[in-house]
Amino acid sequence: MGYSLKDLTKIEETVILAIWRLGEKAYGVEVRREVERATEKSVNYSTLYATLEQMVRKGLICKQFGEPTAVRGGKRKVFFKPAPEGLGALKEAFERQKNVWAGVNDESFKRGCI
Amino acid sequence: MTLISKKRRPRIRLELLAHCYRLSLGEGFAGDLEEDFNYLQLNSGNRSASLWLWAQTFESFPTFIRIYFQWGWAMMVNYFRTFFRNIMRYRSTSMINLLGLSLGMAVFLVILLFTRSERQFDRFHKDYQKIYRLVSRHPASKDSYAGTPAPLGPALKEAFPEVEDYCRLKQRSYVVKTTHLSVRESRVCMADSNFFAFFTFPLIAGNVNTLLINPNSVVITESTAKKYFGDEPPVGKIMNFHELGDMIITAVCQDLPVTSHFHFDLVIPFVHEKNRYWGSWNYKTYMRFHHALSGDDLKNKVDSFFKGKDDLEQMLESVHYQPITDIHFQYNRSNWEPAVNGQFLHIFQAVAVLVLLLACLNYINLSTAYAQRRSKEVGIKKSVGVTRNQILRQFLNESMMMAVFAEIIALFLTMAMLPLLNQFAGHALDIPWHDPVLYCGAAALVVIVGILAGFYPAFILASIKPAVVLKGQTIVKKRSHLRAVLVVLQFTASIILVVCTLFINRQLHFINNVDLGYNREALINIRLNSALYERSSQIKNAMLGLTDVSEASLNSYTANSMNWNQSVYWEGQTEDQRTSMWLFSADTDFFETMDITLLEGAERVLNHHPGKDKAYYVLNEAAVREVGWEDAIGRMFDMNSGENMNGEVIGVVKDFHFRSLHHTVDPLAIYINKRGRWLSLRVNADNISQSLANIARSWQELAPGFEFEYEFLDDRIAKSYREEQNLGVLLNIFTALSLLIACMGLISLASFTVSQKTKEIGIRKVLGASTKGIAINLTQQFIKWVLLANLLAWPVALWGVRAWLNNFEYKITLDWEIFLLAGFGALAIAILSVSIQTVKAARTNPAENLSYE
């Protein structure tokens, strides 16, 4: 099987995992915080939103509008949730990672071999 | 969380940033951004929140720009490529489109430059809105006169605080001598010493405030300086003026712009003018007010000021204030340079718009006719998801590009045309390369033409249904009403132009050849210096001795520039008959020399020897009618000019056009005087240059030291119609160009129609139709259109021509033949251009046509 569009890129993987983990409250601000927390790096808005948009287009996640609030300047929240395709892709990635990283643990880096 | 007041919310920046990411998550993103911002504002304060927002903006902006322009550019490149491919593929249609547009634009540009320069007249003066010229309207004649008495200016300045300053001018000619040169300068201006402060004529050397204070000072223009002194510095040099003596050059001013209503070569102080009394209306008075005024206000004030001052009140009743910028547009018999009829400028602007419209119509017509060619491209683009708006934008882009190229060509055409026009029409037009208005105007023109010409075709192409065209069906209707309307409109406009041009040409021809009541051929007028006045009859008799001269007369008559009009009195005149008449003086040979018919008293006039005791007059028919005499001979008549001019009428002449044909023949009195300032000679017409040389030689003997200054009468008459002649030439050129544009459109439209009917023609021929029959069949439709255009054009043209002819008192009749001529001309041109295509099509072998595909 060759590389397909369904394969997740690193950033997609990170973002979709963050959304999955956040569950009900997964909207832009929270997603960004979660990603920053997990990766310990600051995330650029353009990167994050381009990724989100692309995943919506690919059908990996789906979006849903919330209620507008004053603190957001009267704008609605957009909540995200992994779509079945997204979860499938995650599973696939997870399986592949398991195989690829098989036998690797902290000790391996100290020893210098698996 | 607390609410944040609206003030602290950098709304614009937030919106801008959100706009930069116009993604499908737009709303969500904008909200998130704001929420983050609020959070930061609460925890870290306003300042750092604002800094954070700036950082976000700078971080994302380059990406946004790059993406935006990258794709925009890629699309533009694509549009360009398709545009050029299509131009190269359909060379002839594209060339016609391009040429039509560029011709239209070139005509538009030239006319715009022309009318712009005309409207710029006298606007180079500082505070030109505050400068007025005093003019008087004589109750007897309709036209105004700019001569005023010399004391009027100072009197007004003293009486009215509104008047800031005045300046009086008089133009005269002097023979000027320097060590190298002796020339009669006809453009010497006598002016008050504030002349250069009053008007804006920049100085090259000299001090504005002192240059005309000394009576012996003279200011010259740059080119006059060059003429007399070459490259030597002129200031301080001496020029000898005949009658005035040596004058010292105190300053040099720049040459005057063409857009000045008067021009001079030298300026001398006004103090040299001696006749400064109220009765001498010989000076132009300009006034500058502290602020621009309404003429009526001022008029009322001035009138009340002079009230009760006897003669002055009546005298000044007719004085009006004319804004300096109006002078160029209002005919005035004392103007130094001919005025332009403002109506003409409107005609030209109408022509400019019309021609541009014609070019646009051409483009619309051709592009819609040939829309079929692009339909597959549009079909495929649409079926892969290109939106209607994008297609619209693509084709609008194409017409804009076309307009850009057309504009470039138009600029070159204009550059090529301007020297010719300047030469023909005596203008000094130039493309103002340094003027930003040109570039803004050019850009605006491209956008306007691009949209005007391109919108409809783009709309048609954008509405193509891919399913229809990809199946191979045609989108262009065989009989399009729109196309018919456009062709009819084009021809209507062209026919209007042709009719107007024909009438204008005819009127100008009429003016040049009408029977003026005298013979203008081979008649020269020699100017006699005032020093020669006493010897004038001696010179005349000597000239009559030459074989080249058949007739001679001394007079003060200068055709078409009469300016002597004053109150006259006669035997039995009642109070309400008070009037003024035109006057000039002439000797008794005048009538034979000019071939003017004497209706009454011929014998007495021709054998008359004027006595010293009494004055004698000859009146024209109009004058006799005005007075109401049954029999004029022997009646008492008087022109009151201070001296004893009471005299007797000894003859009546047939009315002749002593002024230009813009005017009716007004009452005229000729005062018989055996001396004069002009010597009119009827010369041998067979060899005029030889005769002229002989006359010049004997002049040298008769009046040594005096310049031989002469002019041909017919030249002088032609000069007074110069403005009309020039405009006539321009109009001819533009009409020809507009016809060319219309024809180009018709030719290519005909070729389109023919290409649509290739098979029909083939089948008709197979079934036995003749070549002639087919050609006629194809041409019919165009003939119908042109005939309809004629019907529409005639009333409009009639209205326009009538309005223009109203400027003339003597005019041609509105012959219907001209309308027919223009109509048939247009028809013939249309048939000719269409039949080139149709005959070719009709003669092709049907086997070829039908085997196609």
Side-chain angles (χ1 to χ4, degrees), chain B residues 767-785:
Chain B
L767 294 177
S770 67
T771 306
K772 206 171 88 189
I774 288 172
I776 289 172
N777 181 298
L778 285 171
T779 318
Q780 248 171 14
Q781 175 191 17
F782 291 100
I783 294 178
K784 260 188 274 172
W785 290 349

Side-chain angles (χ1 to χ4, degrees), chain B residues 60-121:
Chain B
S60 31
F61 207 61
T63 324
F64 164 70
I65 293 284
R66 188 173 55 80
I67 289 173
Y68 192 86
F69 279 96
Q70 191 179 341
W71 294 112
W73 177 248
M75 221 47 228
M76 277 308 275
V77 169
N78 179 277
Y79 288 162
F80 262 114
R81 203 173 286 148
T82 22
F83 173 63
F84 281 115
R85 278 182 192 154
N86 273 295
I87 284 194
M88 295 320 276
R89 187 151 168 221
Y90 304 109
R91 282 196 191 88
S92 58
T93 355
S94 309
M95 280 304 119
I96 285 180
N97 258 344
L98 189 62
L99 267 183
L101 277 186
S102 17
L103 270 181
M105 280 172 148
V107 170
F108 187 79
L109 272 176
V110 170
I111 296 181
L112 222 63
L113 285 175
F114 167 67
T115 49
R116 184 167 165 268
S117 107
E118 289 292 305
R119 295 205 191 285
Q120 287 298 309
F121 259 76

Side-chain angles (χ1 to χ4, degrees), chain A residues 27-28 44-45 49 71-73, chain B residues 32 34-36 38 56 59:
Chain A
Y27 73 97
N44 196 321
Y45 265 97
Y49 283 87
V71 81
R72 297 169 58 82
Chain B
D32 290 350
E34 219 155 300
E35 196 178 323
D36 271 332
N38 283 347
Q56 289 298 323
E59 203 175 348

Side-chain angles (χ1 to χ4, degrees), chain A residues 100-113:
Chain A
V100 173
W101 290 85
V104 180
N105 54 27
D106 290 344
E107 285 300 301
S108 314
F109 291 101
K110 277 182 198 151
R111 283 212 309 271
C113 62

Side-chain angles (χ1 to χ4, degrees), chain A residues 38-66:
Chain A
T39 58
E40 292 174 349
K41 282 177 193 160
S42 77
V43 180
N44 196 321
Y45 265 97
S46 47
T47 317
L48 177 69
Y49 283 87
T51 312
L52 281 171
E53 189 223 3
Q54 199 166 340
M55 288 200 296
V56 170
R57 247 192 301 147
K58 283 181 186 172
L60 297 173
I61 54 176
C62 34
K63 64 174 180 179
Q64 196 177 354
F65 289 105

Side-chain angles (χ1 to χ4, degrees), chain B residues 462-509:
Chain B
S463 345
I464 282 176
K465 291 191 180 69
V468 175
V469 286
L470 293 180
K471 257 193 274 168
Q473 288 170 0
T474 110
I475 53 150
V476 180
K477 280 181 268 166
K478 278 263 156 59
R479 298 182 56 140
S480 156
H481 287 297
L482 178 88
R483 230 171 298 140
V485 168
L486 291 181
V487 171
V488 169
L489 272 182
Q490 263 190 337
F491 268 83
T492 309
S494 305
I495 293 167
I496 292 173
L497 275 178
V498 171
V499 171
C500 292
T501 314
L502 283 176
F503 272 114
I504 289 173
N505 283 339
R506 255 171 82 118
Q507 172 72 16
L508 295 179
H509 181 82

Side-chain angles (χ1 to χ4, degrees), chain B residues 183-202:
Chain B
V183 181
R184 173 172 277 278
E185 291 292 349
S186 57
R187 301 199 301 186
V188 180
C189 203
M190 284 181 165
D192 277 315
S193 60
N194 62 351
F195 181 72
F196 285 94
F198 191 93
F199 296 107
T200 311
F201 298 121

